[in-house]
Amino acid sequence: MPSPPSSPPAPDEAPRTIRIEPTRGWTALRLGQLWEYRELLGFLAQRDIKVRYKQTVLGATWAVLQPVATAVVFTLVFGRLVKVPSDGVPYAVFALAGLVVWNFFSTSVSTASASLVSNTDLVSKVYFPRLSVPIASMIASFVDFLIATGVLLVAMAFFGVGGGWRMFLAIPVALLAFTVALGASLWLSAAMALYRDVRHLVPFLVQFGLFATPVAYPATLLSGSWQWLYSLNPMVGVVEGFRWAMLGTATDPWAALLISVGVAAALLASGTIFFRRVERTLADVI
């Protein structure tokens, strides 16, 4: 028996029409579009997570091996040979805590800054908020950060150190690290779409940043006015705050954290504005 013909669509089920208009002025950020396209953001994040370890033998184990292997090298060189102080905790777990949060920042900036160029076909042919591309890349890096944090907890249990109730404060510190990385990534991804020189500049900045951030040494080695100048690097407060929360070090990271919050907010706001300005002509220049 043939099935009855389907009823015609109701008036309220008419296809949705999206009118795309060029943005004007510095305030046309349209951040609400990110929520409207949240399903696409989730799809892009899942795709980046799958692609990151596709056709690899060790898979997500690389998220653990990188900080652990680097911490071993740092322990032998800086902990045993140079005798760098470690804020009263074993140097191995001191270095690992710094590397966990630094690797998240460096990986996020490296991958998100190249995300627009890597998705040229998608960006130039389909309309969607381009902010989704670098943000999705950073979400994939954040998954690696969570895995590496689990290894850090195991190391903390092995060495018998921990921050107790302070460990809950590591969550807002991690969100601050995400904010810093997102602000830097928005600047660099938009700039790389305009100038491919940025592709060669990013590895240099990441390498320089490793030594300009207290990953292998404590920030307490600097004092006086140098401490304030040093804290203008927003990752100084992030790394010091993360160690204070996770390891319970006897330091006072609040001044550096407040500076990091201010610099991160300025970096994110200016990066978002610059990204949206470049987005107007992104499909033509990328």
Side-chain angles (χ1 to χ4, degrees):
M1 182 177 182
S3 59
S6 59
S7 58
D12 56 350
E13 297 178 353
R16 183 183 178 189
T17 301
I18 299 177
R19 186 174 182 176
I20 304 174
E21 296 179 342
T23 59
R24 295 183 177 86
W26 289 94
T27 59
L29 298 180
R30 296 181 179 177
L31 298 180
Q33 287 186 342
L34 284 176
W35 177 252
E36 296 177 5
Y37 286 81
R38 58 188 180 280
E39 293 185 1
L40 175 63
L41 177 62
F43 169 78
L44 293 175
Q46 292 180 13
R47 183 205 60 175
D48 289 345
I49 293 173
K50 293 179 181 178
V51 170
R52 184 185 297 270
Y53 299 113
K54 186 178 181 181
Q55 293 184 335
T56 61
V57 177
L58 299 180
T61 308
W62 285 110
V64 176
L65 284 179
Q66 292 177 355
V68 170
T70 310
V72 170
V73 174
F74 278 15
T75 301
L76 294 176
V77 176
F78 297 105
R80 297 292 180 87
L81 298 180
V82 187
K83 304 294 183 183
V84 173
S86 54
D87 290 338
V89 297
Y91 186 87
V93 71
F94 170 87
L96 182 60
L99 285 167
V100 165
V101 68
W102 171 257
N103 279 4
F104 163 67
F105 172 79
S106 61
T107 305
S108 297
V109 171
S110 299
T111 56
S113 60
S115 57
L116 290 178
V117 177
S118 302
N119 292 275
T120 300
D121 292 339
L122 181 64
V123 170
S124 59
K125 296 178 180 178
V126 182
Y127 173 75
F128 65 96
R130 270 57 173 181
L131 281 170
S132 302
V133 178
I135 293 177
S137 180
M138 288 193 55
I139 292 175
S141 299
F142 196 74
V143 173
D144 289 351
F145 169 74
L146 295 178
I147 296 174
T149 301
V151 176
L152 174 62
L153 291 173
V154 174
M156 290 166 53
F158 178 80
F159 287 102
V161 298
W165 62 269
R166 294 184 189 176
M167 294 173 65
F168 291 101
L169 297 180
I171 298 175
V173 175
L175 295 178
L176 178 60
F178 192 96
T179 304
V180 175
L182 179 58
S185 298
L186 292 180
W187 269 104
L188 294 172
S189 60
M192 187 180 293
L194 297 176
Y195 310 102
R196 294 299 191 269
D197 308 71
V198 180
R199 186 197 302 270
H200 306 282
L201 177 64
V202 170
F204 169 75
L205 292 177
V206 171
Q207 187 177 20
F208 176 79
L210 174 62
F211 295 101
T213 303
V215 176
Y217 56 90
T220 51
L221 290 179
L222 287 82
S223 60
S225 58
W226 287 107
Q227 183 74 39
W228 288 96
L229 182 63
Y230 184 56
S231 298
L232 291 178
N233 172 6
M235 287 304 295
V236 171
V238 170
V239 172
E240 285 293 297
F242 190 75
R243 281 203 189 105
W244 175 84
M246 294 295 292
L247 306 182
T249 55
T251 57
D252 184 12
W254 293 107
L257 274 173
L258 287 177
I259 296 175
S260 295
V261 170
V263 174
L267 191 63
L268 179 61
S270 60
T272 305
I273 293 172
F274 178 65
F275 189 96
R276 293 293 290 178
R277 292 284 293 183
V278 175
E279 187 181 8
R280 295 178 181 179
T281 57
L282 190 59
D284 298 324
V285 301
I286 196 170

